[in-house]
Amino acid sequence: MRTLRRRGAFCRPCGTALFREMQADTMLQGWWGLLSVFITPFVLLVNLSARSALRGLPEPTTWGWRPPLDPGKPVMRRPAGLVAAVPLAAVACALLAIPVLLVIGLFVGDEAPQKLTVGSCARNDGSWSAQDLRQEPCGSPDAEFEVTEPGAEGCATGDYLADLEYSADGATTLCLHPVGR
């Protein structure tokens, strides 16, 4: 990573030519370092302030010992500008993706688990280590379990234990008795 600066008394065409050359070089070569990937977009923006200063320079009124430089094509019409469009677009997408994902995360959060009550029926759409219990009408063919209270010795043999998050208060143990036994 290196920083270059050109000093001198420039007319508008000469300053524009120099700006376009250096900006195109930065756009092509500025990405090839670990920190440069993050610094280059800011350098390109800072260089735009130099461009605005160039616009305030007067046109040459008298010719010096040599004619002014040809400014050439605008930066984004040069091959370097076209090549730089890819990493610039990637940086822009990354910067836009973070707030978009945060907003989506705020509005599309995890669903709160359905609360089960004793005597209702349920089905499990997940595994037993990651339960995803849903209430079902007891007469439905999709109902797999009837929700029961544990006895003094706990759930009956063959019953499953529902995660505490499915109870109304989040602390009561509920048993799942398979329907059809």
Side-chain angles (χ1 to χ4, degrees):
M1 184 167 74
R2 65 185 182 156
T3 303
L4 298 177
R5 180 178 294 204
R6 304 291 167 122
R7 296 184 186 266
F10 300 106
C11 63
R12 186 184 308 169
C14 291
T16 302
L18 190 59
F19 166 79
R20 288 179 177 176
E21 176 187 336
M22 293 183 74
Q23 187 80 335
D25 287 348
T26 301
M27 292 175 91
L28 185 62
Q29 301 168 2
W31 308 98
W32 303 109
L34 184 59
L35 292 176
S36 298
V37 170
F38 301 104
I39 295 172
T40 297
F42 296 106
V43 170
L44 292 171
L45 290 174
V46 168
N47 287 350
L48 291 179
S49 68
R51 174 66 179 119
S52 65
L54 289 173
R55 290 179 192 228
L57 292 176
E59 288 289 334
T61 55
T62 59
W63 295 101
W65 57 275
R66 64 181 239 184
L69 295 173
D70 177 22
K73 293 180 183 178
V75 176
M76 291 309 286
R77 290 192 183 168
R78 296 175 183 221
L82 297 175
V83 168
V86 174
L88 284 173
V91 168
C93 287
L95 291 175
L96 289 175
I98 293 169
V100 167
L101 291 174
L102 287 174
V103 168
I104 289 172
L106 289 174
F107 291 110
V108 183
D110 289 336
E111 267 186 41
Q114 290 183 350
K115 303 301 182 188
L116 301 176
T117 57
V118 174
S120 65
C121 292
R123 72 176 194 279
N124 185 14
D125 290 338
S127 64
W128 283 109
S129 59
Q131 292 179 2
D132 186 14
L133 299 174
R134 305 282 179 194
Q135 272 192 325
E136 285 289 331
C138 287
S140 169
D142 292 332
E144 298 175 319
F145 307 99
E146 181 181 352
V147 180
T148 60
E149 282 184 301
E153 297 177 10
C155 294
T157 304
D159 285 2
Y160 297 95
L161 193 60
D163 287 343
L164 292 176
E165 65 188 29
Y166 291 102
S167 66
D169 61 1
T172 304
T173 303
L174 297 173
C175 298
L176 301 171
H177 181 73
V179 176
R181 283 195 180 182

